[in-house]
Amino acid sequence: MLMDLEFETAFMGNYSKFAGDLIRSARIPILPSPEFNSWNHAAVPHYLAAGAGVMLDSYQLTADRLSKVSRVLVESPLCVLDDFAEHKRYDCDGLINFTVSAKSRIYPEGPAKLFLGPEFFPARRWLREVRTARQSQDKRVPQPQNFLVIAGGNDREGVTLRLLSALSRISPQAHVCVLTAAAANQDLEKVLSGFSTVNRLKFCPDLREPMLWADACLCGGGLTKYECAFVGLPVAALAQTAEQQADTEVLASAGAAFDLGLSRLTTDEDLEARLRLYVTDCTSLKRQIDCGRQLVGARNPQRVAEPFLQLVS
């Protein structure tokens, strides 16, 4: 989105192969930064142009680490992407939390300007294009036959296999597109062999075509459910963490997703029962499409980029 607004953009950090491939597929450079291995950022300013803005997003971030980063980036506006308001302080210039529960989180007082809520969801260009294309499609919502199944780049809980196994018992005639970074295994291959057709994606720089093709999405509870809500694709989430589950529950209560539960606390029988309810209730699917589009990211790109525009102007 920043590139669409003609900002010169680059990534800095250490990334998994999956994440690195996604960044490179968008033709965004990754700056060399060995210091990130030890969270020693003293040399980082040498990589930045004078006054360059910095967006920081890491599951390894702590309040102390953020303070260290802030001290060495005194010449650069610093904005943090956050999900759960877990830290005792946020030493930064701006903070973005685009989750549906962001405005109910209690953030400590501090210097950061807060930009909270799904209206700040940073949809990439291809997502905006999918949203427009799906809006022009037939408004009638049939019982789903084409399923997109995604559990992210790190399926720690085996969510992909569980979702596909339950779906195979409910709708073996379904057509499935599954995106997984996991290695092939016999259990997964056996389940996939039972569907009418299967398109297995190892790596995909964007999900434009799968999201236009799909009638519904089954996911692991993270960012994907926001992407689906934004484009108007019905989505059901089987969360991999307690934090994801809490977020899914709020999104589901707003009508923008379907809650399949927290994976480790949901039995196969309960998962199948919930999934059956989800795929057979066409009225709820249509309502979910409308709620998702209204709730997530219903702003133009420049409005969504407002936090960063304010900080670097």
Side-chain angles (χ1 to χ4, degrees), residues 57-249:
D57 182 18
S58 173
Y59 287 122
Q60 299 176 14
L61 186 65
T62 65
D64 289 340
R65 285 174 170 173
L66 178 55
S67 294
K68 292 178 181 178
V69 175
S70 179
R71 285 196 294 270
V72 300
L73 295 178
V74 291
E75 301 297 327
S76 297
L78 175 61
C79 188
V80 171
L81 288 174
D82 187 66
D83 293 330
F84 305 116
E86 295 176 315
H87 306 312
K88 58 186 177 182
R89 66 182 186 276
Y90 286 83
D91 294 332
C92 55
D93 301 294
L95 184 147
I96 302 172
N97 182 338
F98 61 76
T99 67
V100 71
S101 55
K103 292 179 181 178
S104 65
R105 303 282 183 186
I106 300 175
Y107 281 96
E109 293 187 8
K113 293 182 180 179
L114 301 180
F115 302 91
L116 307 177
E119 61 265 35
F120 291 105
F121 175 70
R124 288 165 285 177
R125 180 187 301 171
W126 68 265
L127 279 168
R128 302 196 299 273
E129 292 171 352
V130 172
R131 178 185 174 102
T132 299
R134 288 191 67 92
Q135 283 177 315
S136 66
Q137 291 177 355
D138 187 354
K139 300 299 182 183
R140 184 180 64 86
V141 180
Q143 184 168 334
Q145 293 297 316
N146 299 340
F147 290 88
L148 176 60
V149 182
I150 309 171
N154 184 9
D155 186 358
R156 299 177 297 273
E157 298 291 326
V159 163
T160 301
L161 178 59
R162 295 196 67 197
L163 288 170
L164 288 168
S165 296
L167 182 62
S168 69
R169 295 189 291 271
I170 297 167
S171 185
Q173 75 280 9
H175 306 278
V176 172
C177 177
V178 55
L179 175 63
T180 175
N185 63 75
Q186 290 184 346
D187 292 336
L188 181 60
E189 296 305 322
K190 182 178 179 180
V191 171
L192 288 174
S193 68
F195 290 105
S196 292
T197 61
V198 174
N199 180 17
R200 181 166 178 169
L201 304 175
K202 278 284 191 179
F203 170 77
C204 192
D206 67 55
L207 294 171
R208 184 193 320 263
E209 294 304 321
M211 281 192 167
L212 287 172
W213 164 86
D215 299 319
C217 178
L218 310 180
C219 75
L223 177 65
T224 299
K225 63 180 183 283
Y226 283 94
E227 294 178 333
C228 289
F230 177 82
V231 303
L233 176 63
V235 60
L238 181 63
Q240 300 183 72
T241 68
E243 292 82 6
Q244 286 181 353
Q245 176 60 22
D247 188 53
T248 298
E249 288 172 0

Side-chain angles (χ1 to χ4, degrees), residues 276-288:
R276 188 181 301 276
L277 177 63
Y278 168 70
V279 302
T280 56
D281 190 347
C282 296
T283 301
S284 293
L285 292 173
K286 177 62 173 70
R287 186 166 58 248
Q288 190 184 114

